[in-house]
Amino acid sequence: MTRDFRLIAIGMGFSWLGNAFQTVALAVAVITTGGGARDLGLVMATNILTLLAGTLFGGIWADRLQPQRVMVASDVIRFAATAGIAAMFATGGYHLALLCGLTVVSAAAGSFFNPAMSALKPLLVPAEDRQKANATLSLLQSMCGVAGPATAGITVAAFGATIGFSINAVSFLASMAAVALIRVRAPRGPRASAVHELRAGWFEVRSRNWLFANLLGASTYHVANGVILVLVQMVAFERLGGAHAIGWIAAAEGLGGVIGSAIGMRFRPRRLLFAGLLALPLMSVWAFAYVWPGTLAAVMIGAVIGYAGLLFYDVAWDTSLQENVPHRVLGRVSSWDYMTSFVAMPVGNALAGPLSDRFGTDRVLTACACVLLAASVSMLLVPGCRRLIRTGQPAPDPVHSDPALV
């Protein structure tokens, strides 16, 4: 792999480790200071809504500027916001409004980071190595998901949530330093208006039925996933062992990701996206495990199975985008991907508390697991999703005929 690829791997590795501490610290901090599913769901919904509000603009600037500049600025802002959250809990005060406000700042910066990262990745390696590179980053993320949460669970349980937020803040500085050293430069053309540039990205989405179908299917998927991600934290904390259980389950999810990423590195089917979609329904196994048999061991096994399928799908999806979407519009297409894929998640986050209060946690989790399964299978019904062929070549020229829009 190239020097620039090694740098992005180092930077993202530090960031992913830090995020593992954030995941554990947030749930523990909110619950132990008197909040419940409603507060945790509101914070998570605030995070997702802010990401949605800024992602399309992040895609525009990822295609206008050098993507690593966008990523560096994002890391600086996220460091400051996360350090502020750590300071709030360190002083012994829990203010939901302040937590949501700092979450808005951090998520807004993150909404620019993700499309820029998507635009940068295919520039770091030759076209024929993109699946391997995507799998390598996915494998690294999953390894961090194994080491980070287990360490975070032990650390937060021993020293409190503040240390978790502090470690995450420092990780953003490490990511910033690594990304700032990347030398690759993306070709950039003349700019058009923001509206025209957004339309160009959307036209590229609509012109590919496999891409449009995955975005619609993912929207339905994440309605249920938004509910699940709140309730499983509560179940893990209240029924399965507290902070230690949250950490060990997250580690099992990371182990599943390691397996899925390793498969993505070696398994190179001609119909890569089809293979990824066959693996995605395994996530419903993870959700069902919280209901039956509902033990920590069963949930961890379900997490390994489900996240192996999810991470293999992620490798297949990233590679399909990079091989079939022109780089000049990749940031914008990726931003539409993020926005439409997760548009329903904050609704699920916000509904988690009311639904569980009315119908019971187990019934809601069962229903949402069924939705995950149905949404995953529905994408296989679209011919383009089954027939898309892996090329190992650079992406084609943009579909849109108006150069002002690309």
Side-chain angles (χ1 to χ4, degrees):
M1 293 295 180
T2 65
R3 169 189 176 274
D4 286 340
F5 180 81
R6 290 194 297 271
L7 283 170
I8 197 66
I10 291 170
M12 293 309 301
F14 279 114
S15 184
W16 287 325
L17 281 173
N19 285 339
F21 281 81
Q22 172 88 354
T23 299
V24 176
L26 179 62
V28 172
V30 171
I31 295 171
T32 58
T33 52
R38 291 178 183 272
D39 282 12
L40 184 58
L42 181 60
V43 175
M44 295 173 70
T46 298
N47 180 71
I48 296 297
L49 283 170
T50 306
L51 285 170
L52 292 176
T55 290
L56 294 181
F57 297 100
I60 291 173
W61 287 101
D63 287 337
R64 286 179 172 181
L65 302 178
Q66 293 301 318
Q68 55 267 48
R69 292 184 180 178
V70 178
M71 294 166 69
V72 166
S74 174
D75 277 336
V76 171
I77 295 171
R78 290 191 292 178
F79 160 75
T82 307
I85 294 174
M88 180 186 71
F89 284 106
T91 57
Y94 169 56
H95 305 285
L96 181 60
L98 178 58
L99 178 58
C100 288
L102 291 170
T103 298
V104 166
V105 174
S106 180
S111 72
F112 279 69
F113 186 94
N114 292 328
M117 176 68 172
S118 296
L120 180 62
K121 285 193 296 184
L123 300 175
L124 304 178
V125 295
E128 63 272 16
D129 291 335
R130 285 175 181 170
Q131 182 181 339
K132 182 179 179 181
N134 290 327
T136 299
L137 287 176
S138 184
L139 178 62
L140 175 62
Q141 183 177 13
S142 300
M143 292 173 65
C144 293
V146 173
T151 305
I154 295 170
T155 304
V156 171
F159 302 105
T162 299
I163 190 65
F165 293 117
S166 300
I167 291 172
N168 189 37
V170 172
S171 73
F172 288 128
L173 291 182
S175 171
M176 177 202 68
V179 172
L181 295 174
I182 292 176
R183 297 173 181 170
V184 69
R185 291 294 179 266
R188 290 292 178 255
R191 299 179 184 176
S193 70
V195 173
H196 281 193
E197 291 180 349
L198 284 176
R199 284 175 51 203
W202 180 243
F203 190 91
E204 294 293 326
V205 171
R206 289 291 288 115
S207 65
R208 296 165 172 83
N209 67 352
W210 59 270
L211 179 51
F212 187 59
N214 272 259
L215 266 56
L216 287 180
S219 296
T220 304
Y221 179 100
H222 285 297
V223 172
N225 203 33
V227 176
I228 290 170
L229 289 176
V230 174
L231 295 185
V232 297
Q233 297 277 7
M234 302 299 298
V235 171
F237 190 84
E238 295 174 355
R239 302 183 192 173
L240 302 179
H244 290 288
I246 294 173
W248 284 114
I249 292 169
E253 294 168 359
L255 177 59
V258 168
I259 294 171
S261 302
I263 293 172
M265 192 176 298
R266 296 181 177 275
F267 182 47
R268 301 171 65 87
R270 193 160 176 260
R271 298 183 181 183
L272 179 61
L273 181 59
F274 178 55
L277 286 170
L278 288 175
L280 185 58
L282 294 174
M283 276 295 286
S284 59
V285 175
W286 162 74
F288 277 123
Y290 281 91
V291 180
W292 186 87
T295 64
L296 179 58
V299 169
M300 291 176 67
I301 292 171
V304 171
I305 294 171
Y307 277 81
L310 177 64
L311 268 292
F312 178 73
Y313 168 79
D314 284 348
V315 172
W317 179 245
D318 286 346
T319 305
S320 297
L321 285 180
Q322 292 166 6
E323 288 188 349
N324 294 279
V325 175
H327 189 268
R328 282 186 292 169
V329 293
L330 184 57
R332 280 165 282 169
V333 169
S334 296
S335 70
W336 280 111
D337 176 21
Y338 287 118
M339 197 275 289
T340 58
S341 293
F342 292 96
V343 69
M345 186 175 284
V347 176
N349 291 156
L351 289 175
L355 286 176
S356 64
D357 290 344
R358 182 173 178 81
F359 300 105
T361 298
D362 288 352
R363 288 183 180 180
V364 174
L365 282 175
T366 300
C368 290
C370 292
V371 174
L372 292 188
L373 180 61
S376 302
V377 172
S378 69
M379 290 182 272
L380 288 167
L381 302 178
V382 178
C385 295
R386 301 193 303 270
R387 298 171 184 170
L388 189 69
I389 303 299
R390 183 176 56 82
T391 66
Q393 300 296 322
D397 291 332
V399 172
H400 207 287
S401 60
D402 184 354
L405 298 186
V406 297

Short mmCIF file of all heavy atoms in Angstrom, two decimals, residues 92-124:
data_model
loop_
_atom_site.label_atom_id
_atom_site.label_comp_id
_atom_site.label_asym_id
_atom_site.label_seq_id
_atom_site.Cartn_x
_atom_site.Cartn_y
_atom_site.Cartn_z
N GLY A 92 -19.07 17.72 37.17
CA GLY A 92 -20.16 17.15 37.94
C GLY A 92 -21.53 17.59 37.53
O GLY A 92 -22.52 17.27 38.19
N GLY A 93 -21.63 18.32 36.43
CA GLY A 93 -22.95 18.79 35.99
C GLY A 93 -23.42 18.06 34.76
O GLY A 93 -22.63 17.78 33.85
N TYR A 94 -24.71 17.71 34.74
CA TYR A 94 -25.30 17.12 33.55
C TYR A 94 -26.39 18.05 33.05
O TYR A 94 -27.40 18.27 33.72
CB TYR A 94 -25.89 15.74 33.86
CG TYR A 94 -26.76 15.19 32.75
CD1 TYR A 94 -26.26 15.05 31.46
CD2 TYR A 94 -28.08 14.83 32.99
CE1 TYR A 94 -27.05 14.54 30.43
CE2 TYR A 94 -28.88 14.31 31.97
CZ TYR A 94 -28.35 14.17 30.69
OH TYR A 94 -29.14 13.69 29.67
N HIS A 95 -26.16 18.65 31.89
CA HIS A 95 -27.10 19.57 31.29
C HIS A 95 -27.45 19.02 29.91
O HIS A 95 -26.62 19.06 28.99
CB HIS A 95 -26.52 20.98 31.19
CG HIS A 95 -26.03 21.53 32.50
ND1 HIS A 95 -26.89 21.98 33.48
CD2 HIS A 95 -24.78 21.65 33.00
CE1 HIS A 95 -26.19 22.39 34.53
NE2 HIS A 95 -24.90 22.20 34.27
N LEU A 96 -28.66 18.51 29.76
CA LEU A 96 -29.05 17.89 28.50
C LEU A 96 -28.95 18.86 27.33
O LEU A 96 -28.49 18.50 26.25
CB LEU A 96 -30.49 17.35 28.62
CG LEU A 96 -31.04 16.64 27.37
CD1 LEU A 96 -30.18 15.45 26.99
CD2 LEU A 96 -32.50 16.22 27.61
N ALA A 97 -29.36 20.12 27.55
CA ALA A 97 -29.31 21.10 26.47
C ALA A 97 -27.87 21.35 26.02
O ALA A 97 -27.59 21.45 24.82
CB ALA A 97 -29.97 22.40 26.91
N LEU A 98 -26.94 21.46 26.99
CA LEU A 98 -25.54 21.69 26.64
C LEU A 98 -24.95 20.47 25.93
O LEU A 98 -24.21 20.62 24.94
CB LEU A 98 -24.72 21.99 27.90
CG LEU A 98 -23.21 22.21 27.71
CD1 LEU A 98 -22.95 23.34 26.72
CD2 LEU A 98 -22.53 22.46 29.05
N LEU A 99 -25.30 19.28 26.40
CA LEU A 99 -24.81 18.07 25.75
C LEU A 99 -25.30 18.01 24.31
O LEU A 99 -24.53 17.69 23.39
CB LEU A 99 -25.27 16.83 26.53
CG LEU A 99 -24.89 15.46 25.94
CD1 LEU A 99 -23.38 15.34 25.81
CD2 LEU A 99 -25.45 14.34 26.81
N CYS A 100 -26.56 18.32 24.10
CA CYS A 100 -27.10 18.32 22.74
C CYS A 100 -26.43 19.40 21.89
O CYS A 100 -26.15 19.19 20.71
CB CYS A 100 -28.61 18.53 22.77
SG CYS A 100 -29.54 17.11 23.36
N GLY A 101 -26.16 20.57 22.49
CA GLY A 101 -25.50 21.64 21.74
C GLY A 101 -24.10 21.27 21.29
O GLY A 101 -23.72 21.51 20.13
N LEU A 102 -23.32 20.69 22.18
CA LEU A 102 -21.97 20.25 21.80
C LEU A 102 -22.03 19.10 20.81
O LEU A 102 -21.16 18.98 19.92
CB LEU A 102 -21.20 19.84 23.06
CG LEU A 102 -20.84 20.99 24.00
CD1 LEU A 102 -20.28 20.45 25.32
CD2 LEU A 102 -19.81 21.92 23.34
N THR A 103 -23.05 18.27 20.93
CA THR A 103 -23.23 17.20 19.95
C THR A 103 -23.51 17.77 18.57
O THR A 103 -23.01 17.25 17.56
CB THR A 103 -24.39 16.28 20.39
OG1 THR A 103 -24.07 15.68 21.64
CG2 THR A 103 -24.65 15.19 19.36
N VAL A 104 -24.28 18.84 18.51
CA VAL A 104 -24.55 19.51 17.24
C VAL A 104 -23.26 19.99 16.59
O VAL A 104 -23.03 19.80 15.39
CB VAL A 104 -25.53 20.69 17.44
CG1 VAL A 104 -25.55 21.59 16.21
CG2 VAL A 104 -26.92 20.17 17.73
N VAL A 105 -22.40 20.62 17.38
CA VAL A 105 -21.13 21.14 16.83
C VAL A 105 -20.27 20.00 16.30
O VAL A 105 -19.74 20.06 15.18
CB VAL A 105 -20.37 21.92 17.92
CG1 VAL A 105 -18.98 22.34 17.41
CG2 VAL A 105 -21.16 23.16 18.34
N SER A 106 -20.13 18.94 17.08
CA SER A 106 -19.30 17.82 16.67
C SER A 106 -19.88 17.12 15.44
O SER A 106 -19.16 16.80 14.49
CB SER A 106 -19.18 16.82 17.83
OG SER A 106 -18.39 15.71 17.45
N ALA A 107 -21.19 16.90 15.44
CA ALA A 107 -21.82 16.22 14.31
C ALA A 107 -21.78 17.06 13.05
O ALA A 107 -21.64 16.52 11.94
CB ALA A 107 -23.26 15.86 14.67
N ALA A 108 -21.92 18.38 13.18
CA ALA A 108 -21.84 19.25 12.01
C ALA A 108 -20.47 19.13 11.34
O ALA A 108 -20.37 19.05 10.11
CB ALA A 108 -22.12 20.70 12.40
N ALA A 109 -19.42 19.10 12.15
CA ALA A 109 -18.08 18.91 11.59
C ALA A 109 -17.95 17.52 10.97
O ALA A 109 -17.36 17.34 9.90
CB ALA A 109 -17.03 19.10 12.68
N GLY A 110 -18.53 16.51 11.64
CA GLY A 110 -18.48 15.16 11.10
C GLY A 110 -19.21 15.01 9.79
O GLY A 110 -18.86 14.18 8.96
N SER A 111 -20.25 15.83 9.57
CA SER A 111 -21.00 15.75 8.33
C SER A 111 -20.17 16.19 7.13
O SER A 111 -20.46 15.81 5.99
CB SER A 111 -22.27 16.62 8.42
OG SER A 111 -21.96 18.00 8.40
N PHE A 112 -19.13 16.98 7.36
CA PHE A 112 -18.21 17.34 6.29
C PHE A 112 -17.09 16.30 6.16
O PHE A 112 -16.55 16.10 5.08
CB PHE A 112 -17.60 18.72 6.57
CG PHE A 112 -18.51 19.86 6.19
CD1 PHE A 112 -19.68 20.11 6.90
CD2 PHE A 112 -18.19 20.69 5.14
CE1 PHE A 112 -20.52 21.14 6.56
CE2 PHE A 112 -19.03 21.74 4.78
CZ PHE A 112 -20.20 21.96 5.49
N PHE A 113 -16.75 15.65 7.26
CA PHE A 113 -15.65 14.68 7.24
C PHE A 113 -15.99 13.45 6.40
O PHE A 113 -15.18 12.99 5.59
CB PHE A 113 -15.34 14.24 8.68
CG PHE A 113 -14.14 13.34 8.81
CD1 PHE A 113 -12.90 13.88 9.10
CD2 PHE A 113 -14.25 11.97 8.65
CE1 PHE A 113 -11.78 13.06 9.23
CE2 PHE A 113 -13.15 11.14 8.77
CZ PHE A 113 -11.91 11.69 9.05
N ASN A 114 -17.21 12.92 6.55
CA ASN A 114 -17.53 11.65 5.91
C ASN A 114 -17.51 11.70 4.38
O ASN A 114 -16.89 10.84 3.74
CB ASN A 114 -18.89 11.15 6.42
CG ASN A 114 -18.84 10.75 7.88
OD1 ASN A 114 -17.82 10.29 8.37
ND2 ASN A 114 -19.94 10.93 8.59
N PRO A 115 -18.16 12.68 3.72
CA PRO A 115 -18.06 12.74 2.26
C PRO A 115 -16.62 12.99 1.78
O PRO A 115 -16.21 12.47 0.74
CB PRO A 115 -18.97 13.91 1.88
CG PRO A 115 -19.91 14.04 3.02
CD PRO A 115 -19.12 13.67 4.24
N ALA A 116 -15.86 13.80 2.54
CA ALA A 116 -14.47 14.04 2.16
C ALA A 116 -13.65 12.76 2.23
O ALA A 116 -12.81 12.48 1.37
CB ALA A 116 -13.86 15.12 3.05
N MET A 117 -13.89 11.97 3.28
CA MET A 117 -13.21 10.69 3.40
C MET A 117 -13.56 9.78 2.22
O MET A 117 -12.69 9.12 1.64
CB MET A 117 -13.62 10.02 4.72
CG MET A 117 -13.06 8.63 4.92
SD MET A 117 -11.27 8.60 5.15
CE MET A 117 -11.05 6.87 5.59
N SER A 118 -14.83 9.75 1.83
CA SER A 118 -15.25 8.94 0.68
C SER A 118 -14.58 9.40 -0.60
O SER A 118 -14.22 8.58 -1.45
CB SER A 118 -16.77 8.99 0.53
OG SER A 118 -17.41 8.41 1.64
N ALA A 119 -14.41 10.71 -0.76
CA ALA A 119 -13.77 11.23 -1.96
C ALA A 119 -12.27 10.99 -1.96
O ALA A 119 -11.65 10.84 -3.02
CB ALA A 119 -14.05 12.73 -2.08
N LEU A 120 -11.66 10.92 -0.78
CA LEU A 120 -10.21 10.74 -0.69
C LEU A 120 -9.78 9.30 -0.90
O LEU A 120 -8.76 9.03 -1.55
CB LEU A 120 -9.72 11.24 0.68
CG LEU A 120 -8.21 11.15 0.95
CD1 LEU A 120 -7.43 12.02 -0.04
CD2 LEU A 120 -7.91 11.54 2.38
N LYS A 121 -10.52 8.34 -0.37
CA LYS A 121 -10.08 6.94 -0.36
C LYS A 121 -9.70 6.39 -1.72
O LYS A 121 -8.64 5.76 -1.85
CB LYS A 121 -11.16 6.06 0.27
CG LYS A 121 -11.24 6.16 1.78
CD LYS A 121 -12.09 5.05 2.38
CE LYS A 121 -13.53 5.12 1.95
NZ LYS A 121 -14.36 4.08 2.61
N PRO A 122 -10.49 6.58 -2.79
CA PRO A 122 -10.10 5.97 -4.07
C PRO A 122 -8.86 6.59 -4.71
O PRO A 122 -8.30 6.00 -5.65
CB PRO A 122 -11.33 6.19 -4.96
CG PRO A 122 -12.06 7.32 -4.34
CD PRO A 122 -11.81 7.21 -2.87
N LEU A 123 -8.41 7.75 -4.21
CA LEU A 123 -7.20 8.38 -4.75
C LEU A 123 -5.93 7.78 -4.17
O LEU A 123 -4.84 8.01 -4.70
CB LEU A 123 -7.22 9.88 -4.46
CG LEU A 123 -8.38 10.70 -5.03
CD1 LEU A 123 -8.30 12.13 -4.53
CD2 LEU A 123 -8.34 10.66 -6.55
N LEU A 124 -6.04 7.03 -3.11
CA LEU A 124 -4.86 6.60 -2.36
C LEU A 124 -4.23 5.33 -2.90
O LEU A 124 -3.08 5.02 -2.56
CB LEU A 124 -5.24 6.40 -0.88
CG LEU A 124 -5.85 7.62 -0.18
CD1 LEU A 124 -6.22 7.27 1.24
CD2 LEU A 124 -4.89 8.80 -0.22
#
